[in-house]
Amino acid sequence: MMLERILFCCIFVGVLVSGQISDLRYTETNNDNIGEAIQFLREFDREAAEMCNRVANAEWRFSTNATEFNKRRMREQQNLASKFECISWRRAVAFDSTRIVDTSIRRQLGRIVQQGRCGLGEDGYGELQRVLAILKEKYNDARVCPFHGAEPSYAGTFSSPGAAAAAYKSSNYVTGYTDYCDLKISPDLTRIMETSRSEAELRYYWVAWREKTGPPMRNTFMRYLHLANQAAERHGFRDAGEQMRSVYEDSDFFFTVDDLWIQLQPLYRQLFTFVRKGLLRQYGEFIIRPDGPLPAHLLGNMWAQNWRHIYALVKPGPVETPDVSGEMVRQGYTPLKMFQTAEEFFTSIGLPPMAPEFWRNSMLQTPADGGGGGQCAASAWDFCNKIDFRIKQCTQVTLDDFVNAHHEMTHIQYYMQYASQPFLYREGPNPAFHEALANAVALSVGGPAHLQKIGLLNSPVSVTNGNTAINIEYLLNMALDKLPFMAFSLAVEKWRWYIFDKGPVGMNARWWEFRLRYQGLIPPAVRGYEHFDAGAKYHVISDQDYIKYFVATVLQFQIYSELCQAALHSGPLHTCDFYRSREAGRILSDVMQQGASLSPQQLIKLMTRGRTSRMSVDALLEFFRPLEAWLELQNRDEQLVGWRSTMEDVALYQPLLGRNGGQITPIIVPGHLLLGLIVLMLVKSCF
């Protein structure tokens, strides 16, 4: 009897473990017929391009004329595209790509099989799409009441996680003037966070936006987590985080980004300390602790993802930034002239001009009738037919939009350069390359050297001395834009990978742990388990990869440095302008033409002419070296470079269970450890 019991338990444990493993990977068949694979990819190439063209046309019509009819037509085309994606996935997964020797065919099949969520099956995939649609709708429908009057005296003194929200809700501070509760995140709240210098007002809008977005989406988001993980397992990944990382084709990618950030931390901490000193002057020690982290609502952005809008607060002395936008107006620049100037930049380095279809079909400024549906975010469009490429931008005559015109036209150049590739290769090798190349061009165009060269900047610019006032101002502006964004994107994705792996228990506390660790930020009000502050960011609830912005920032400086070397630049890196360099244009064209036919590592090796195949922050550090030396001088009397967190900081988002009740953060047991504990308990019970 004892022997039978042991045998039964061992069989049961074996079934349990094997069942857990068998669900982890969708098994391919053993079809390795190269002819069938070639025929499938030929058909896919034609059908995918046609489908992409129909979707792009429908999305363009809605983005330029946001009627309900156009919205319905767009959704119909998007649904058809989703069905086509899953049909193609089922056909592609029938091939055993490991037994196909042709590397290009194997790579194309892999790009279809590994990504997406079609492994969920029709019902699961449909549910995931509905869940994401609900999350997006709730986010887009969120509206906030305007701020009226001074902050109540009780603000900042709450003793429990729910007390802050309850106090806000019970006062006119939030609920007054409810007839006018129609403020949207863009442009209303974005503009307020950029321009307001009232701590009370900024705190109010910071809290109010998170009340309207996070809690209503929390449970729906947890359903999304479950479905995304289930889909990843069916596609052969441990969880959805591993699936998202796989597009970077680096088995150590989780640690690669950590290693890159470790090298950047000293520069970030110098910038952080300098910014804290400026905010301390503005708000005083009651709000800003001289050695502590920064409250997240005071940095000129709803998510504190870039800090360039508080430049005037942190820079010592008066702001003397040259008025390039005013000079553009004086010289008669128009939106059309700005894009014609961008085109001339590319033809000067040997790249082709824009096609007639571009000028005929693009929307380069707000229509005279005010149409366009209010969607003014700059974007570049590929209509997937190799001839129709467009830009949509509500262009104003400003320096920012001038640089954006070059940025968006870089995307168009990329589309044009890889248009002859198979459809599956008509994109960057990973999600970061498009942004990286566009931003590398922007580094050249937006720098003082180029602006002086084309007659928009009359101030003296030294290409041999990086420490002139205009150079430091330029570098400080760039650092406030780039470095906090890198820290934020790393915090967002590390949090997302964590909850995909460990589950959603305590996920809001985890969110602030990562924000404190990477950015040095704390919430301005107590956050409890009922909050979902990550849901205040659209990319999180809409299932969009965010680490691409971290990678793109690293790559843009690496690419920029290579193009500057090709242009034979000498002097500080930030003074480089590769305008009119045919050799720089040749390297840019060589990289763009490959599309996704090469891995990211192979493309970096091509770009560096064989010197390295790895991402590196050396160029970024070189670019900011004059600023880092200047910051070290500015911070020489500071008691701490960086931040020191206290129990009070942590208690803002991680309340502890006391004798009188309150919250406690549950212990999180990873799934594989939980399975091991169950197995041990079963084995023990057998004996």
Side-chain angles (χ1 to χ4, degrees), residues 380-440:
W381 296 64
D382 180 357
F383 283 75
C384 312
N385 58 8
K386 305 185 182 182
I387 56 172
D388 193 355
F389 310 102
R390 309 178 193 177
I391 287 175
K392 182 177 184 291
Q393 179 173 305
C394 301
T395 313
Q396 304 294 318
V397 182
T398 64
L399 175 59
D400 281 350
D401 278 5
F402 179 74
V403 175
N404 278 342
H406 291 74
H407 176 107
E408 298 303 332
M409 197 170 282
T410 308
H411 289 306
I412 301 297
Q413 285 286 350
Y414 208 169
Y415 298 150
M416 294 164 60
Q417 292 286 332
Y418 60 51
S420 61
Q421 291 279 1
F423 180 82
L424 285 162
Y425 291 160
R426 288 184 221 162
E427 57 185 347
N430 66 37
F433 259 89
H434 251 288
E435 282 298 301
L437 286 165
N439 284 331

Side-chain angles (χ1 to χ4, degrees), residues 62-111:
F62 177 70
S63 71
T64 54
N65 186 19
T67 65
E68 280 301 315
F69 175 78
N70 285 340
K71 182 179 183 180
R72 189 164 59 250
R73 291 294 300 274
M74 178 183 70
R75 293 277 170 80
E76 289 172 359
Q77 292 299 323
Q78 289 171 338
N79 289 337
L80 287 173
S82 295
K83 291 178 181 177
F84 172 76
E85 177 190 355
C86 289
I87 291 170
S88 301
W89 180 81
R90 283 193 291 270
R91 292 183 64 189
V93 83
F95 294 96
D96 184 357
S97 58
T98 62
R99 297 172 61 181
I100 294 177
V101 295
D102 187 295
T103 55
S104 180
I105 292 175
R106 190 166 64 244
R107 181 171 176 80
Q108 289 183 69
L109 289 172
R111 292 181 74 82

Side-chain angles (χ1 to χ4, degrees), residues 133-143 209 212-213 215-218 220 541:
I134 291 169
L135 289 170
K136 293 174 187 177
E137 185 176 1
K138 287 183 177 180
Y139 187 97
N140 291 326
D141 289 346
R143 299 292 186 270
W209 176 246
K212 292 294 185 180
T213 52
M217 292 190 278
R218 188 170 177 269
T220 309
I541 59 93

